[in-house]
Amino acid sequence: KNQVEQSPQSLIILEGKNCTLQCNYTVSPFSNLRWYKQDTGRGPVSLTIMTFSENTKSNGRYTATLDADTKQSSLHITASQLSDSASYICVVSESNTDKLIFGTGTRLQVFP
Amino acid sequence: NAGVMQNPRHLVRRRGQEARLRCSPMKGHSHVYWYRQLPEEGLKFMVYLQKENIIDESGMPKERFSAEFPKEGPSILRIQQVVRGDSAAYFCASSPYGLAGRTGELFFGEGSRLTVL
C-alpha cells in the first residue's frame, strides 16, 4: 500500500533555532515529492517540488533533500521564525496514477 | 490574479440537510481537484474534474456525494443528507493542465469547513 509517513508528529522549537522534519514513503514508482506548508485554518502552500533525480532544493530558509534509494526526504528549516509555526506536509506523486499521496504532516510550533 | 476561491469558508448543517461547497479555480485553470481533511489526518483525494467532465472520482463515497464542474461557473461539491462523519475541511485545488501529480503545481484554496450538528 502506498504510504507517506512523517516524523515527528509535532515539534516545538525556540525562535532562531534550526529543525529538520522527516518523510518516509513507500510510494512506488513515484515521480515527484513535494513539501507543503499549511497554516492553521488555511490551505496548503507549496514550498518545494523535487523529481526523483533531484537530491536537494532550497526555497529561502527551507531546504528539502531527497534520497530516492532509501525513499526518504527531509525538510530543513534554518533560523526559524514565529511565522514558521504551521503544519508541514510531505506529498508524493504516484507515477502510474498521478495521484498525490499526502502525509499527515508535522505540526511545528516556534516560540519566542 | 486571484487564487483559488472557495465558499462558504464555514458551513453548519443539521443531520439530513444538504451541503453545497463551491470552488472557483485560478484564472486559466481548467482542472479542479477536491480533497477532504479530517482533524489530525492528511488530505484525502476525492475527485478530479475538468470542465464538464469527471476524470477521476475514485475517492468519492458512492452515496450522497457528487461533484460537477460546469462549462460556466464554479465547481460544486454536493453532499446530500449529511451525517456527523461528514464534518471536515474540504479543500479545492486547481492546476492549469492535467496530470498535476506528474507535471505541475497544484494551487489550493483556503478550504470550506463543514460542521454537521
Side-chain angles (χ1 to χ4, degrees):
Chain A
K1 181 181 177 182
N2 288 328
Q3 286 188 312
V4 177
E5 302 285 344
Q6 291 188 243
S7 63
Q9 192 171 12
S10 61
L11 181 63
I12 297 174
I13 61 174
L14 293 177
E15 186 179 13
K17 299 296 185 183
N18 304 335
C19 67
T20 300
L21 314 180
Q22 301 291 343
C23 173
N24 296 337
Y25 60 93
T26 60
V27 180
S28 182
F30 92 105
S31 58
N32 61 59
L33 185 146
R34 309 150 183 248
W35 283 93
Y36 281 87
K37 178 186 179 188
Q38 185 176 20
D39 292 311
T40 301
R42 309 293 296 273
V45 175
S46 178
L47 294 175
T48 66
I49 300 177
M50 289 189 293
T51 66
F52 62 87
S53 60
E54 294 179 289
N55 298 120
T56 184
K57 183 167 278 190
S58 291
N59 177 4
R61 294 180 297 102
Y62 301 103
T63 299
T65 65
L66 174 63
D67 186 334
D69 291 331
T70 62
K71 296 187 180 351
Q72 294 180 324
S73 175
S74 65
L75 180 69
H76 186 74
I77 305 174
T78 305
S80 61
Q81 300 176 358
L82 298 179
S83 59
D84 293 332
S85 295
S87 288
Y88 291 84
I89 305 170
C90 176
V91 186
V92 180
S93 170
E94 185 184 39
S95 289
N96 291 339
T97 63
D98 293 313
K99 284 222 175 78
L100 299 180
I101 313 295
F102 286 75
T104 55
T106 291
R107 182 169 176 74
L108 174 66
Q109 291 178 279
V110 181
F111 285 113
Chain B
N1 188 13
V4 178
M5 305 298 291
Q6 290 189 247
N7 67 83
R9 291 291 309 277
H10 300 274
L11 182 64
V12 179
R13 285 287 180 265
R14 296 189 181 280
R15 282 180 296 170
Q17 292 184 318
E18 178 180 288
R20 280 184 181 238
L21 310 177
R22 287 174 289 277
C23 169
S24 296
M26 286 182 71
K27 186 176 181 180
H29 290 193
S30 58
H31 300 262
V32 165
Y33 307 77
W34 284 95
Y35 292 86
R36 177 164 62 178
Q37 187 176 36
L38 294 169
E40 308 303 323
E41 293 189 16
L43 282 84
K44 295 289 194 296
F45 168 79
M46 298 183 75
V47 62
Y48 163 36
L49 310 105
Q50 293 179 34
K51 285 283 188 181
E52 300 185 277
N53 285 305
I54 297 175
I55 307 302
D56 180 355
E57 57 181 347
S58 58
M60 288 268 277
K62 292 290 186 286
E63 297 177 350
R64 302 187 298 107
F65 284 73
S66 62
E68 62 176 8
F69 189 15
K71 186 176 180 181
E72 302 290 338
S75 175
I76 307 284
L77 179 66
R78 181 183 179 202
I79 311 172
Q80 295 177 290
Q81 299 174 351
V82 296
V83 300
R84 289 218 174 100
D86 296 334
S87 295
Y90 292 84
F91 287 93
C92 170
S94 74
S95 69
Y97 30 67
L99 304 179
R102 183 185 304 171
T103 56
E105 185 57 86
L106 207 56
F107 296 87
F108 283 86
E110 299 289 22
S112 291
R113 279 149 189 84
L114 172 66
T115 301
V116 180
L117 301 178

